[in-house]
């Protein structure tokens, strides 16, 4: 299979984690006889530095003509700490999502037996957690009209949803629930927000077409608590843009590290794959960031291409690494490996030099131990 993949490394740790995902994709291509053509393009703070705009037209064009997009991370502290900045790296990502109509952001949350001790949650609440968040990505308060009064003392962000916007992602979420444990939870704030009432009404109506899926409704404040006290109850969570942003970061503590979680953003004709973590500027250039979220995003891309065995191979390489202690510092701050070493180990695994062949001592040189 031949695929053109647009690669946006972005800011901070983006280039380092993306490099590992690319290594893994190359290894898969070799192992399974595919051809992946990567085209790098700029977005975010690096694009502002290079061209004054966070999303150059050329990047949109490359993405439009690609089979999929792989993204690292976007964001830079010089903008975070300057609320008056008129051009911001995140505008690039938001504009790309909107331009490509990537309306469904899918964030699976799984647990790894070897990492359960990292979660602040009790073990009994973690075992068997397997949920996926369907976050609406091109509407709501993120994209509503924004206003700051002339005297700078009043600001507003409008939150708008149309029935069509709700229906298109709700359908995908119902279909996913049908393939899973057949439970869908709509998270909203229907006791306060008109948009949430439209979500609830639309999902209630649509549920008639999916009689095998049981639907429940939770207010977002309650859902935030339920995710911590009883995450096992969830199968598919469907929610609007901002609630999904917040709940997916919260849900990452179930896995043990924000660095582990991948996501896919699906539109009518394009799809983008990115870890859910941010650009983590403090770690940039140090070869310490966790590449697993990026690598698992590449696995979701392979799923999207219909390459199930290939995607499974990537996931099993990650499971193998995590369960053998081949982890970055966010997972184990005493015995840890560098970002690039983890990438190399995953490639080794895919190249068939599996667990038993890899002697921990052989990679000891690239391991950092604090004693
Ligand atoms: C995410 C990020 C983005 C968002 C930022 C970088 C604009 O937090 O993908 O979750 O809020 O959607
Ligand atoms: Mn976020």
């Amino acid at each position: 299979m031949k695929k053109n993949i647009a690669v946006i490394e972005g800011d901070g740790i983006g280039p380092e984690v993306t490099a590992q995902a690319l290594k893994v994709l190359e290894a898969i291509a070799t192992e399974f006889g595919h051809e992946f053509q990567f085209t790098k393009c700029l977005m975010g703070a690096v694009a502002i530095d290079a061209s004054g705009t966070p999303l150059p037209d050329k990047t949109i064009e490359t993405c439009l003509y690609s089979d999929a997009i792989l993204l690292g991370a976007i964001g830079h502290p010089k903008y975070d700490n300057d609320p008056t900045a008129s051009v911001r790296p995140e505008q690039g990502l938001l504009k790309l999502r909107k331009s490509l109509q990537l309306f469904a952001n899918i964030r699976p949350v799984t647990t790894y037996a070897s990492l359960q001790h990292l979660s602040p949650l009790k073990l009994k609440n973690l075992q068997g957690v397997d949920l996926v968040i369907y976050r609406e990505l091109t509407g709501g308060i993120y994209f509503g009209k924004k206003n700051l009064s002339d005297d700078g003392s009043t600001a507003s962000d409008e939150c708008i949803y149309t029935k069509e916007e709700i229906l298109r992602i709700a359908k995908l979420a119902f279909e996913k629930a049908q393939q899973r444990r057949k439970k869908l939870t709509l998270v909203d704030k229907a006791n306060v927000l008109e948009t949430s009432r439209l979500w609830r009404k639309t999902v209630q109506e649509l549920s008639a077409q999916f009689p095998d899926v049981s639907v429940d409704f939770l207010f977002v404040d309650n859902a935030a608590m339920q995710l911590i006290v009883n995450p096992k109850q969830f199968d598919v969570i469907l929610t609007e843009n901002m609630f999904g942003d917040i709940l997916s970061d919260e849900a990452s503590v179930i896995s043990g590290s924000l660095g582990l979680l991948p996501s896919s953003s699906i539109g009518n004709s394009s799809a983008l794959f990115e870890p859910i973590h941010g650009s983590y500027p403090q770690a940039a250039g140090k070869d310490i960031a966790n590449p697993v979220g990026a690598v698992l995003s590449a696995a979701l891309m392979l799923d999207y291409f219909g390459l199930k065995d290939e995607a499974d191979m990537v996931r099993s390489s990650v499971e193998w690494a995590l369960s053998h202690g081949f982890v970055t510092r966010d997972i184990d701050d005493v015995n840890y490996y560098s970002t690039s070493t983890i990438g190399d180990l995953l490639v080794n695994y895919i190249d068939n030099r599996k667990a038993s062949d890899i002697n921990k001592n052989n990679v000891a040189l690239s391991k950092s131990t604090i004693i």
Side-chain angles (χ1 to χ4, degrees):
M1 185 179 276
K2 199 172 166 196
K3 292 287 179 193
N4 289 317
I5 299 166
V7 178
I8 303 174
E9 298 174 320
D11 305 318
I13 58 168
E16 294 158 66
V17 295
T18 306
Q20 312 319 311
L22 295 183
K23 277 192 219 167
V24 164
L25 285 172
E26 293 279 18
I28 289 288
T30 309
E31 195 66 27
F32 290 84
H34 302 303
E35 196 183 322
F36 299 141
Q37 177 96 43
F38 301 115
T39 310
K40 290 201 178 167
C41 34
L42 293 181
M43 186 170 89
V46 280
I48 300 176
D49 291 346
S51 66
T53 160
L55 181 62
D57 289 344
K58 195 158 171 273
T59 298
I60 304 189
E61 204 179 304
T62 305
C63 291
L64 272 173
Y65 291 106
S66 297
D67 296 303
I69 307 151
L70 189 67
L71 168 66
I74 294 298
H76 193 286
K78 80 178 168 214
Y79 302 95
D80 296 344
N81 301 330
D82 178 10
T84 62
S86 58
V87 180
R88 318 183 68 81
E90 291 80 3
Q91 290 164 343
L93 180 56
L94 299 179
K95 188 173 165 200
L96 186 69
R97 287 173 178 170
K98 196 73 173 176
S99 312
L100 303 182
Q101 278 297 302
L102 301 169
F103 62 85
N105 181 225
I106 303 159
R107 300 187 162 184
V109 179
T110 35
T111 53
Y112 299 94
S114 60
L115 302 186
Q116 283 177 345
H117 63 283
L118 290 175
S119 174
L121 304 192
K122 289 202 180 79
L123 195 64
K124 71 173 170 51
N125 291 334
L126 291 173
Q127 276 151 354
V129 172
D130 178 13
L131 63 93
V132 56
I133 299 176
Y134 272 63
R135 167 191 175 194
E136 201 289 327
L137 203 60
T138 51
I141 198 167
Y142 270 58
F143 292 94
K145 208 162 147 263
K146 300 182 188 315
N147 193 52
L148 181 65
S149 65
D150 290 341
D151 67 359
S153 66
T154 309
S156 64
D157 296 279
E158 203 173 25
C159 181
I160 299 189
Y161 268 110
T162 65
K163 204 168 169 173
E164 286 67 36
E165 285 173 321
I166 299 168
L167 272 174
R168 62 185 180 177
I169 182 168
K171 273 191 192 135
L172 292 184
F174 270 105
E175 283 162 12
K176 187 52 144 186
Q178 279 184 320
Q179 298 156 14
R180 293 175 46 103
R181 302 196 309 279
K182 300 189 172 37
K183 182 173 177 195
L184 183 140
T185 304
L186 176 69
V187 172
D188 63 25
K189 189 74 186 171
N191 50 348
V192 176
L193 301 177
E194 203 56 55
T195 43
S196 284
R197 288 191 275 274
L198 184 62
W199 271 85
R200 214 170 255 227
K201 186 164 172 288
T202 306
V203 168
Q204 273 165 355
E205 284 168 10
L206 185 65
S207 67
Q209 293 175 31
F210 297 90
D212 52 335
V213 175
S214 77
V215 182
D216 67 357
F217 302 91
L218 276 186
F219 297 140
V220 62
D221 44 356
N222 186 15
M225 180 186 72
Q226 296 292 334
L227 260 178
I228 299 300
V229 295
N230 182 14
K232 241 177 279 186
Q233 70 183 289
F234 296 110
D235 180 15
V236 176
I237 293 178
L238 169 64
T239 192
E240 62 95 63
N241 202 344
M242 180 133 97
F243 297 159
D245 179 45
I246 298 168
L247 292 181
S248 55
D249 266 33
E250 187 194 359
S252 75
V253 305
I254 295 171
S255 292
S257 171
L258 188 59
L260 295 168
L261 293 196
S263 83
S264 53
S265 302
I266 306 289
N268 292 325
S269 56
S270 304
L272 178 148
F273 301 84
E274 59 171 320
I276 81 158
H277 62 66
S279 59
Y280 190 15
Q282 304 85 334
K286 296 186 179 158
D287 205 18
I288 57 171
N290 193 337
V292 167
V295 169
L296 292 176
S297 298
L300 292 177
M301 177 185 283
L302 294 168
D303 279 329
Y304 172 75
F305 292 153
L307 303 174
K308 172 101 180 41
D309 291 347
E310 290 83 337
D312 285 345
M313 167 82 87
V314 174
R315 279 186 282 266
S316 47
S317 75
V318 166
E319 269 154 36
W320 165 79
L322 295 178
S323 62
H324 285 78
F326 296 129
V327 294
T328 41
R329 204 164 152 178
D330 51 314
I331 305 288
D332 184 338
D333 61 4
V334 177
N335 293 307
Y336 57 85
Y337 294 82
S338 67
T339 311
S340 49
T341 301
I342 299 295
D344 292 342
L345 290 167
L346 299 176
V347 167
N348 281 347
Y349 178 94
I350 292 163
D351 290 348
N352 264 324
R353 280 172 274 146
K354 290 196 188 136
S356 54
D357 302 336
I358 296 183
N359 183 331
K360 268 198 169 187
N361 295 331
N362 293 345
V363 284
L365 281 177
S366 40
K367 174 180 175 181
S368 307
T369 306
I370 303 170
I371 298 174

